């Protein structure tokens, strides 16, 4: 492995491993774990039903499990992995950012967004991020550690519980979409991410039963990860954070571009699309006078016109210490117009959560200690 790749994949040594949770395991291994601790295998399904159907992770309340077994089930199957530290809301409560503390004190964030036709949770796959994109707040502090599948899944189950409880304005609803667009680079924590994708998409009770098409995995473009994902046979939506069509600028905006160039990344996305039949998204944060020039839109249009891609433009969200800002309206409009002349589908993403630092690239998971 090259030094550069070591930087991407070697996470800092962890002192204490997170407790093992049954959602770290596939359904067969869950049964084996039950048997290992002297329970009949069918208990594994009961436990999964409480967790993935009722979003209940407290075995003390599970009346179909004998009372004397509950403490052991709690310890071996559903140890508490994430604890809510703080919730901040916006849009009259339709957007909420949750700050979670993990067993070792590490902090991560997730963002839940209710729209008229869907409710989406944006989850973190790593604490911090090793990709070091200069316009993203998460990248600035570097990578703290990978999350386990249990820790990733727990964010989704918590969101599903909030939706089902009716506490969001508009009343009870179903969590319909999951996007791996919070903190971290999903492809740099591949195994845990794929286990959690399976937990999200497997039919109940083995998983949450959310359709693969409603799950989006976003990557800076780790080609080996995209190829592996293609071979999993789960047609999740792939999003690629491209941010510019030329290698020269992309080497700076997305430093891993020094390893996998624009063309290699797009070719991998094409292979993904060929295999899954799915259109992929190109994420493009529009940064004033940096990557928003007409010639770049033209080049992007030429690159994408024969590809099964959709462009999602993201007005740059402010991050601490960054000198960059969002594009002017007329430049954004011109960028869109040029792409459309190539027949490339393009949308401009809303800036949900911006005022609570919960929008794209703003998650930093800092705990604010208010003076009392
Ligand atoms: N590491 C993955 C997952 C994070 S997704 C990835 O990069 O794809 C978060 C998305 O928000 C990415 O497309 C990222 O490039 C984008 N982003 C980061 N900082 C941003 C900012 N300040 N404004 C707008 N988008 C930003």
């Amino acid at each position: 492995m090259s030094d550069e790749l070591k930087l991407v994949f070697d996470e800092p040594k962890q002192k204490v491993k997170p407790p093992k949770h049954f959602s770290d395991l596939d359904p067969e291994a869950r049964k084996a774990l039950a048997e290992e601790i002297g329970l009949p295998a069918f208990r594994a399904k009961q436990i999964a039903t409480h967790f993935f159907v009722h979003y209940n992770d407290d075995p003390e309340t599970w009346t179909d499990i004998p009372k004397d077994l509950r403490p052991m089930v709690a310890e071996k199957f559903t140890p508490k992995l994430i604890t809510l530290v703080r919730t901040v809301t916006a849009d009259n409560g339709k957007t909420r950012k949750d700050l979670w503390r993990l067993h070792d004190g590490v902090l991560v964030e997730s963002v839940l967004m209710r729209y008229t036709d869907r409710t989406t949770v944006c989850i973190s796959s790593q604490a911090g991020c090793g990709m070091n994109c200069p316009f993203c707040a998460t990248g600035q502090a570097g990578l703290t550690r990978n999350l386990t599948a249990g820790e990733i899944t727990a964010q989704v189950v918590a969101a599903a519980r909030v939706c089902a409880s009716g506490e969001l304005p508009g009343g009870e609803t179903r969590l319909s979409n999951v996007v791996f667009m919070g903190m971290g680079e999903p492809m740099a924590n591949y195994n845990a991410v794929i286990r959690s994708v399976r937990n999200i998409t497997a039919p109940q009770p083995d998983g949450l039963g959310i359709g693969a098409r409603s799950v989006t995995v976003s990557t800076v473009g780790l080609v080996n990860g995209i190829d592996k994902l293609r071979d999993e046979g789960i047609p999740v939506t792939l999003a690629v954070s491209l941010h510019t069509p030329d290698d020269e600028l992309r080497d700076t905006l997305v430093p891993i571009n020094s390893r996998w160039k624009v063309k290699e990344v797009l070719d991998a996305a094409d292979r993904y699309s060929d295999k899954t039949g799915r259109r992929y998204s190109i994420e493009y944060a529009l940064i004033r006078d940096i990557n928003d020039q007409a010639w770049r839109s033209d080049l992007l249009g030429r690159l994408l016109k024969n590809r099964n891609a959709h462009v999602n433009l993201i007005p740059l969200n402010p991050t601490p210490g960054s000198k960059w800002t969002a594009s002017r309206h007329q430049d954004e409009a011109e960028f869109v117009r040029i792409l459309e002349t190539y027949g490339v589908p393009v949308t401009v993403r809303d800036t949900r959560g911006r005022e609570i630092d919960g929008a794209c690239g703003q998650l930093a998971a800092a705990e604010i200690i208010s003076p009392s």
Side-chain angles (χ1 to χ4, degrees):
M1 205 188 265
S2 70
D3 284 352
E4 178 184 72
L5 280 187
K6 277 210 174 99
L7 268 177
V8 174
F9 290 107
D10 276 11
E11 59 171 315
K13 286 283 161 275
Q14 247 177 271
K15 287 174 213 84
V16 196
K17 287 257 177 258
K20 271 276 166 210
H21 191 276
F22 90 100
S23 62
D24 292 317
L25 306 172
D26 64 37
E28 278 310 306
R30 294 171 194 169
K31 276 196 231 160
L33 174 66
E35 282 171 341
E36 216 174 273
I37 60 175
L39 301 178
F42 74 84
R43 294 277 179 221
K45 274 263 192 267
Q46 284 180 318
I47 293 167
T49 302
H50 287 296
F51 192 69
F52 286 125
V53 180
H54 304 297
Y55 320 127
N56 178 334
D57 60 359
D58 180 9
E60 280 310 320
T61 65
W62 298 351
T63 50
D64 55 353
I65 306 274
K67 204 167 175 30
D68 57 322
L69 293 180
R70 292 180 204 163
M72 181 171 64
V73 168
E75 186 198 326
K76 297 285 185 192
F77 281 80
T78 57
K80 199 169 178 56
L81 298 178
I82 67 173
T83 306
L84 188 61
V85 177
R86 172 168 42 93
T87 296
V88 203
T89 61
D91 307 312
N92 298 317
K94 289 196 171 150
T95 302
R96 61 178 269 174
K97 181 173 79 164
D98 290 323
L99 176 69
W100 303 101
R101 181 182 286 109
L102 311 182
H103 83 287
D104 52 0
V106 165
L107 300 170
V108 295
E109 290 177 322
S110 61
V111 184
L112 185 58
M113 293 159 281
R114 181 166 196 168
Y115 300 89
T116 43
D117 59 339
R118 66 188 192 281
T119 303
T120 301
V121 68
C122 174
I123 54 167
S124 295
S125 58
Q126 298 182 308
C129 186
M131 297 300 125
N132 207 21
C133 305
F135 55 92
C136 176
T138 308
Q140 300 320 300
L143 177 64
T144 303
R145 71 168 172 86
N146 279 335
L147 302 195
T148 62
E151 289 167 333
I152 299 169
T153 305
Q155 297 167 59
V156 187
V157 171
R161 188 185 299 130
V162 167
C163 290
S165 73
E167 56 186 286
L168 292 177
E172 222 172 281
T173 189
R174 197 181 68 87
L175 179 67
S176 56
N177 295 69
V178 179
V179 297
F180 284 78
M181 292 190 179
M183 303 170 74
E185 167 50 43
M187 298 297 189
N189 183 17
Y190 188 86
N191 291 339
V193 164
I194 205 69
R195 176 72 256 147
S196 44
V197 166
R198 292 187 186 281
N199 290 339
I200 294 162
T201 58
Q204 291 175 327
D206 288 338
L208 288 163
I210 295 174
R213 285 155 188 269
S214 307
V215 175
T216 300
V217 174
S218 182
T219 176
V220 287
L222 304 187
V223 165
N224 53 355
I226 297 172
D227 282 340
K228 255 166 116 174
L229 185 66
R230 177 198 63 199
D231 294 334
E232 299 283 351
I234 320 172
V236 295
T237 302
L238 175 71
V240 173
S241 295
L242 196 70
H243 303 308
T244 189
D246 57 303
D247 284 317
E248 192 183 352
L249 177 60
R250 196 166 191 269
D251 283 346
T252 314
L253 292 183
V254 184
I256 195 64
N257 197 66
S258 59
R259 171 64 184 82
W260 286 289
K261 298 294 174 198
V262 169
K263 178 152 190 326
E264 292 173 272
V265 174
L266 292 179
D267 286 349
D270 288 344
R271 290 193 291 275
Y272 187 83
S273 165
D274 289 345
K275 173 83 183 278
T276 60
R278 307 276 298 131
R279 184 165 87 172
Y280 55 91
S281 298
I282 294 293
E283 313 292 295
Y284 198 114
L286 278 175
I287 315 177
R288 183 179 297 190
D289 299 329
I290 300 289
N291 65 352
D292 63 353
Q293 301 84 352
W295 72 265
R296 283 202 160 89
S297 185
D298 192 72
L299 181 56
L300 185 65
R302 271 189 279 143
L303 273 179
L304 298 182
K305 68 172 186 226
N306 292 320
R307 297 184 133 102
N308 194 13
H310 160 267
V311 176
N312 211 215
L313 296 173
I314 319 171
L316 189 80
N317 293 306
T319 59
S322 170
K323 51 186 185 308
W324 290 332
T325 180
S327 300
R328 296 168 198 88
H329 278 300
Q330 69 266 31
D331 293 339
E332 179 184 296
E334 182 62 2
F335 205 92
V336 170
R337 190 194 64 77
I338 294 170
L339 277 175
E340 283 174 343
T341 64
Y342 286 94
V344 175
V346 51
T347 47
V348 179
R349 182 177 293 171
D350 68 10
T351 52
R352 270 283 182 124
R354 192 187 258 189
E355 60 277 40
I356 52 171
D357 287 343
C360 306
Q362 293 188 308
L363 302 185
E367 197 171 354
I368 297 159
I369 316 278
S370 54
S372 53

